[in-house]
Amino acid sequence: MLKDERLSHIRARLRSHGRVVAADLATEWNVPVDMIRRDLRELSEAGECRRVYGGALRLQPNASHIRARMGEKVPLKNALARQAATLFKPRQVVFIDTGSTNIALAGSLPRDTPLTVVTSSPAVAVALSDADQIETIMIGGRLEGTTGGVTGSVAVQSLQHYRFDLCSLGVWAISAEGPSVWDHEEAAFKREVLSRSESVVIMAEASKIGSGGRFPVAPLETVQTLIVTDDAPTDELTRMTASGVTIIKVPVHD
């Protein structure tokens, strides 16, 4: 098989399956595994996939602006948010990250539950402004328009004052290798959040499952609960369960 043919087939396999395993492709095509690794390295350097141990993941496209995402798939995001809201308990200190589904989560929290919510998202803070029983704390930092949250060294330093009982982490993609995002500063900020959280929940629609962002955040073992839509790819969810994460499915249709 010629190189261009291999690359074309790898691209198609990533689109349809979300990941490829170098050894499997080498066996299937009867070529040396090092040849497949070189192909994957070339595709990765071209921004067409993300290399992981033993293979590669489909690269999740860059995020649209937060304002656009807030108007997309609203019933689905509300369903994920309502399920996540059941994990928040009275008098906890929690972190709610950026992202349109986390904004939906802020709107789904019971208004009579006393909580301290720390957030990096102005939109999350605004969504909680009518909740008299919820103390909302905004951390400082550089506002990133696409994600709608703050990031950078000032934001990381702001986290030094907190420990969280529960964190709802926003991610751009998640696989058996763990959550990932598009920006290296955002990844560093989220790693600091994870290091300060007793428990971590991630909400993800099907398109985020089994794909990768450019920058990994942490191994999947750092996540305790993953809330997904019930159309998420079964093979990837099976791989994820090996990490010990609890997977909760919600219906696609609200």
Side-chain angles (χ1 to χ4, degrees):
M1 184 183 294
L2 298 176
K3 177 182 176 181
D4 286 347
E5 291 179 288
R6 295 195 310 272
L7 295 179
S8 178
H9 284 303
I10 291 170
R11 292 185 185 103
R13 194 73 58 93
L14 286 166
R15 285 194 299 269
S16 61
H17 291 78
R19 70 164 61 225
V20 294
V21 177
D24 291 348
L25 293 181
T27 299
E28 180 179 344
W29 297 339
N30 194 28
V31 297
V33 69
D34 284 345
M35 182 180 291
I36 301 299
R37 292 187 183 120
R38 287 194 296 272
D39 291 341
L40 296 180
R41 184 162 53 249
E42 180 174 327
L43 291 172
S44 176
E45 290 171 353
E48 297 188 56
C49 67
R50 196 189 105 201
R51 293 289 307 279
V52 295
Y53 181 77
L57 295 174
R58 178 184 67 240
L59 193 64
Q60 187 79 336
N62 198 2
S64 56
H65 196 280
I66 184 65
R67 286 195 300 271
R69 285 183 284 124
M70 285 175 64
E72 298 170 350
K73 303 179 182 179
V74 173
L76 182 153
K77 292 174 182 178
N78 286 339
L80 292 170
R82 284 194 298 270
Q83 181 64 54
T86 65
L87 302 177
F88 289 75
K89 306 303 179 186
R91 288 171 290 279
Q92 286 183 326
V93 178
V94 304
F95 182 84
I96 298 182
D97 202 2
T98 59
S100 54
T101 310
N102 273 321
I103 296 170
L105 170 61
S108 297
L109 291 176
R111 271 27 192 173
D112 59 352
T113 300
L115 285 171
T116 297
V117 174
V118 180
T119 184
S120 56
S121 165
V124 166
V126 170
L128 292 169
S129 61
D130 66 336
D132 294 338
Q133 294 298 310
I134 299 177
E135 179 186 18
T136 304
I137 300 172
M138 273 289 307
I139 65 168
R142 177 178 59 83
L143 182 63
E144 208 288 316
T146 299
T147 65
V150 298
T151 187
S153 59
V154 173
V156 171
Q157 290 170 9
S158 298
L159 293 171
Q160 308 304 311
H161 305 291
Y162 302 104
R163 288 281 178 184
F164 307 114
D165 298 299
L166 178 62
C167 158
S168 178
L169 193 74
V171 300
W172 188 232
I174 186 167
S175 68
E177 285 72 28
S180 54
V181 293
W182 199 260
D183 177 76
H184 68 96
E185 286 194 346
E186 185 184 5
F189 175 79
K190 292 180 191 296
R191 281 193 287 271
E192 185 65 25
V193 171
L194 288 177
S195 74
R196 296 180 172 277
S197 301
E198 291 295 321
S199 185
V200 177
V201 58
I202 290 176
M203 300 173 284
E205 59 185 270
S207 64
K208 293 186 177 184
I209 304 297
S211 60
R214 288 190 180 275
F215 296 93
V217 174
L220 191 60
E221 287 79 3
T222 60
V223 179
Q224 282 68 49
T225 307
L226 177 62
I227 301 175
V228 301
T229 51
D230 62 1
D231 59 341
T234 302
D235 289 349
E236 190 66 25
L237 293 182
T238 300
R239 282 188 284 267
M240 288 175 154
T241 57
S243 72
V245 64
T246 297
I247 296 176
I248 301 173
K249 295 182 179 181
V250 300
V252 173
H253 301 291
D254 193 19

